[in-house]
Structures are given as C-alpha cells and as structure tokens.
Amino acid sequence: SDEENWYCECPKLYTGKLCQFATCDENPCGNGATCFPKSRRDVVCLCPYGRSGILCSDAINITQPSFSGTDVFGYTSFLAYSTIPNITFYYEFRLKFQLANHHSALQDNLIFFTGQKGQGLNGEDFLELGLRNGRVVYSYNLGSGTATIISKPLDLTLNIHVIHLGRNLQEGWLKVDDQKNKTVTSPGRLVGLNVFSQFYLGGYREYTPELLPKGPRFKNGFQGCIFDVQVRTSFNQGFKSPGTPEGHPNSGRSVGQCEDSPCSLIKCRNGGKCIETGSTVYCDCLPGWKGAFCTETVSVCEPEHDPPHLCQQGSTCVPLPNGYTCHCPLGTTGTYCEQG
C-alpha cells in the first residue's frame, strides 16, 4: 500500500505525525511555572509564587496575596508554608480577608488547611477553615471525630472580615467580625492534633481534593485577598506569621498582589480577551487567531481552523491565496480526494 496513506488523529493537546509532541514538551514557561496546554500550539503558564506575566518571567512583590479560586484548568491558586510547629495541644489564629465578590462567599471556598489522610496510626487529623453558603466554617479532627463551628452569615457590606479562632485540647472556638464567639468540643477521647503537612493558604497544591481527608474537601480555592495571617501556640507568647523564615511561603501558584491586575500590562490583539487568575495571565483568542497575544492567524489547513478542511485521510491540505486544495495520494481523486 502507499506508504503515506495513513495518519494519526491526535488526542487533544498532542500534535505531530505520530502525536509525539505535547505542547508543554518544549516548556516555554520560566521559573518553575506549571505549564498547561491551552491548544495544540499554545500554552498557559501558571505562575509560581513571586512571578507574573505570560511566561512568568516578571518578578512581583507580594505583601497582601490575592487568590483567584479554581481556574478553568482545574488548578487552585495557593500558598504553602512550612508545617506549623507545636499546634498539637493549643493554637490561636488571626487573619483578615476581603472577598473578590459577593458570589465568592456562597461558593465552597478554602481559606486554610493543614492535615493528611489517615495513614496507619496517624488518623485523619486535620485543621481547616473555609467559606460555605456565606458562612465561615471551622473544623478540626484530633483523630477521634470531627468538630465543626459554623458562623452566622457574613455581613457582605463589610469590605474586610476579621477571624479569630483557637483550640485548647478538645475545646475549640471561633469569632468572626462582630459576631458572638461560638464554641465546640471535639468528639471521642483524643486531645492532640497531629499534622505534618504544610500549611496551605487559599487552595491546595493537589489537583484533586480527593487526596485530602474526608472532612474538609472544600471544592474551590478562595477568591479574594487573605492577609495578616498570624498564629501562636501558647497563651503567653506573641503572634507570628507562618513560614520559615517567618512570613515566607515555601511555594505557591497563581497568587497575585491584592488590587493589582496583570491584565493591565498586556494587550491581546485581534479581539482576544485577557484572562487573569492571580498572577497567571493569558490571552483567550477568537477563532482564527493563535499565539501568546493572538497575533498569528490559524491557516485554513491547520487542525484548529474553523471550519476544518475537508481533505480526506492521507491527502495533504495546501493553502492557496483564497482557500485551499488537496494533494491526493496515489489511487484517489476528486476535489477532496474522496473518490477511489
């Protein structure tokens, strides 16, 4: 048979005669960004902490991190700090947050989390805080059952919300804005919180929350700014920011500076729309355009072209000044090489 009379129909995100090229193979993203194929030829760079721009090459200074929830690719924006030491028997947290919009209060959004799935003797210990149906939800599990406190609905006319929460052995308490302090006692007998994961703010590193203990699983990352996070692990010591060195995260993804917009620095051409999620930014091109800034045309013979060309299997599409023609392999004829 004719050697060229076959072709591979590539799955999404792969190209090449043998579907051997994945767009992220020649990863253009800088500085340890997460590369995600946006189409067969274009990628989106999900920027790591402290970086911004189309290829994550711009350094940004973050004093008040802004989180963008879960992006269209299914990743959350997050910061990860080193494990918080000595929170086994006592801790107090203080923090402030600002919502991106009213709708984001109603979603199922994570504010912070530390813990792990049950592994042998370690149980499903975790501590977490989030938003659900316009209320703040605080829960923890010391290994013998989950304790949960749910606040009254947030007053959405407030620009900034303040949370103060703590735990002493099995007793937990939560105070939100000007609401009354609420308390809870965890079930079972265990009194110590044994967590050895990092302390996650705003979202998870994991692609899927299924890797987390049963209790938490806030489905989305936080949308808005979280700042002035402080913790202390005994009643007579001062509050400190998490992290080693203090206040410094180990890693992060798609986290911007509050009130900053990376789209203000980027011009998408030819009707493309600038999309920003935290520090991650990319152009969403109209049909017929491609490239980082939507400046390249999609040729009539390219797989992304809409409508697709009609050259039959094994024939070669060749662009013409207006339209295209099909070069037929041996044994076929017709406009689109559709006849034997």
Side-chain angles (χ1 to χ4, degrees), residues 65-269:
S66 81
F67 301 87
S68 46
T70 309
D71 64 26
V72 292
F73 312 111
Y75 288 94
T76 55
S77 64
F78 76 90
L79 289 177
Y81 295 87
S82 49
T83 310
I84 294 175
N86 311 324
I87 59 172
T88 316
F89 301 115
Y90 181 93
Y91 58 73
E92 260 181 275
F93 284 90
R94 292 199 299 221
L95 62 91
K96 298 175 186 151
F97 69 86
Q98 201 170 353
L99 293 165
N101 49 50
H102 286 184
H103 177 66
S104 61
L106 301 172
Q107 290 186 316
D108 203 359
N109 290 352
L110 179 84
I111 298 174
F112 72 57
F113 169 81
T114 182
Q116 59 278 327
K117 253 191 165 1
Q119 293 162 344
L121 301 170
N122 301 320
E124 293 249 315
D125 286 28
F126 67 81
L127 152 67
E128 63 147 11
L129 182 70
L131 288 176
R132 204 168 264 150
N133 301 328
R135 301 163 186 260
V136 174
V137 180
Y138 160 41
S139 19
Y140 56 91
N141 187 340
L142 308 178
S144 53
T146 301
T148 300
I149 304 177
I150 300 177
S151 78
K152 287 190 167 134
L154 288 171
D155 173 357
L156 295 178
T157 62
L158 294 173
N159 185 23
I160 291 180
H161 301 276
V162 181
I163 295 183
H164 196 171
L165 63 87
R167 190 193 115 251
N168 184 26
L169 304 177
Q170 291 180 292
E171 309 293 317
W173 53 270
L174 169 71
K175 179 151 179 41
V176 175
D177 296 332
D178 296 331
Q179 299 182 14
K180 279 225 313 270
N181 198 8
K182 287 183 134 181
T183 57
V184 71
T185 304
S186 60
R189 290 205 166 145
L190 298 176
V191 296
L193 175 72
N194 303 300
V195 293
F196 39 84
S197 88
Q198 297 188 94
F199 178 73
Y200 289 99
L201 195 64
Y204 308 109
R205 158 172 287 126
E206 283 83 6
Y207 196 57
T208 46
E210 279 67 72
L211 302 168
L212 302 166
K214 284 275 186 297
R217 299 222 184 145
F218 278 93
K219 289 191 198 57
N220 301 302
F222 187 79
Q223 292 174 291
C225 306
I226 305 176
F227 42 96
D228 299 350
V229 180
Q230 296 190 306
V231 58
R232 68 177 177 183
T233 49
S234 92
F235 192 65
N236 46 25
Q237 67 170 197
F239 278 90
K240 279 171 126 158
S241 304
T244 331
E246 194 188 332
H248 288 263
N250 297 343
S251 64
R253 178 173 57 222
S254 297
V255 171
Q257 168 69 350
C258 205
E259 315 278 331
D260 275 8
S261 157
C263 273
S264 61
L265 306 171
I266 279 173
K267 290 276 175 283
C268 303
R269 307 290 179 187

